[in-house]
Amino acid sequence: MVTVLDDTDIGRVLVVTAHPDDVDFAAAGTVARLTDKGIEVVYCIVTDGDAGGFDRELDHGGMAALRRAEQTEAARRVGVKDLRFLGYRDGTVEQTLGLRRDIARVIRQVRPDRVVTSTPERNYARLGPSHPDHRAVGGATLDAVYPDARNPYAFPELLAEEGLEAWTVREVWLSGGQANNHYVDVTTVVDRKIAALRAHVSQTSHMETLEQFVKAFLAANAQTAGLPEGSYAEGFQVVPTA
């Protein structure tokens, strides 16, 4: 069994995702529970989601601005005020040294105890989480956690030019994979998760059964976790970094 840091030992959490709405599908309930406990949560969104949208009439620039606004509102609904957008182009993210440096910079700025991100592995049981941007961001984030952010000699310009001291993240939570080893009961905040998802109007307005779809998935997680009937849970693979 994996050992998970108790929330009482957590001061700050950083969530790193590829697109606006990724965090809300994966972890908005967990985020709401954390912020309710007074734990600061910061979002780092690598792209602006400019290649997304349903029945869109906006160009890429207009869609990017809209999706930033939607993510900001979704974050507000689960208690998050600090969002960092890196501005990469949607659909073209690669696991480069540049991306590792940009995420390591945010880690050193935020200095989180826990990082939440997407799995870098392909999910063969459920293809949706395996968007190439998701996998690239998950892999780059893991590399930024170890070794980049903690090594003062990695990307030395972060210290020399920006004054960002090395920082060691204590654990990473991965979403979207097939190896979940930890579940968070989000039953009491599931409506806020749905509200956060509904804030992404450009992505979810056409999904008439969004609530039923999300709750069915969360209920299956809860059953796997052994929670009482009628419960909802979000699942993660917890990776210790020590």
Side-chain angles (χ1 to χ4, degrees), residues 15 40 60 63 96 101 128 130-131 162 164 212 216 223 241:
V15 183
E40 182 182 0
H60 280 286
M63 180 55 68
T96 62
R101 181 194 61 237
S130 298
H131 189 293
E162 302 179 41
L164 296 173
Q212 296 93 313
Q223 184 176 23
T241 65

Side-chain angles (χ1 to χ4, degrees), residues 180-194:
N180 289 343
N181 56 14
H182 182 66
Y183 293 87
V184 177
D185 186 339
V186 297
T187 308
T188 60
V189 292
V190 69
D191 290 340
R192 290 169 67 192
K193 177 183 177 76
I194 300 297

Side-chain angles (χ1 to χ4, degrees), residues 5 11 16 42 61 66 74-75 86 91 94 99 109 111 124-125 134 155 158 172 179 187 195 212 235:
L5 292 174
V16 185
V42 178
L66 175 61
L86 299 187
E94 295 179 317
L99 179 58
Q109 290 171 339
R111 306 178 83 75
Y124 290 102
H134 296 184
F155 304 121
L158 294 180
V172 177
T187 308
Q212 296 93 313

Side-chain angles (χ1 to χ4, degrees), residues 34-222:
L34 291 169
T35 59
D36 284 350
K37 295 176 181 179
I39 297 170
E40 182 182 0
V41 178
V42 178
Y43 288 173
C44 174
I45 315 296
V46 172
T47 83
D48 292 329
D50 52 284
F54 174 76
D55 195 22
R56 59 187 284 176
E57 298 180 0
L58 297 171
D59 61 16
H60 280 286
M63 180 55 68
L66 175 61
R67 295 204 68 186
R68 284 192 182 208
E70 289 175 346
Q71 182 61 86
T72 301
E73 172 58 21
R76 185 193 66 78
R77 295 181 184 187
V78 291
V80 175
K81 300 177 182 178
D82 189 344
L83 296 84
R84 320 284 177 95
F85 293 95
L86 299 187
Y88 282 68
R89 287 297 303 270
D90 186 0
T92 67
V93 182
E94 295 179 317
Q95 192 175 330
T96 62
L97 283 172
L99 179 58
R100 283 168 52 181
R101 181 194 61 237
D102 290 345
I103 296 172
R105 173 186 291 109
V106 176
I107 291 172
R108 291 189 185 187
Q109 290 171 339
V110 175
R111 306 178 83 75
D113 299 295
R114 176 185 296 154
V115 166
V116 181
T117 192
S118 50
T119 179
E121 299 177 0
R122 192 180 298 276
N123 187 328
Y124 290 102
R126 189 166 59 92
L127 196 58
S130 298
H131 189 293
D133 286 356
H134 296 184
R135 290 184 282 117
V137 168
T141 300
L142 284 170
D143 289 342
V145 167
Y146 177 82
D148 299 334
R150 69 174 62 187
N151 180 359
Y153 305 107
F155 304 121
E157 65 274 18
L158 294 180
L159 177 59
E161 299 174 13
E162 302 179 41
L164 296 173
E165 300 281 352
W167 178 258
T168 299
V169 176
R170 298 167 67 192
E171 70 181 12
V172 177
W173 289 19
L174 302 176
S175 67
Q178 295 180 256
N180 289 343
N181 56 14
H182 182 66
Y183 293 87
V184 177
D185 186 339
V186 297
T187 308
T188 60
V189 292
V190 69
D191 290 340
R192 290 169 67 192
K193 177 183 177 76
I194 300 297
L197 286 166
R198 285 297 188 196
H200 298 279
V201 177
S202 67
Q203 310 302 301
T204 65
S205 61
H206 65 291
M207 301 174 66
E208 296 180 0
T209 61
L210 175 66
E211 181 171 350
Q212 296 93 313
F213 167 77
V214 171
K215 286 186 173 179
F217 182 75
L218 299 178
N221 280 342

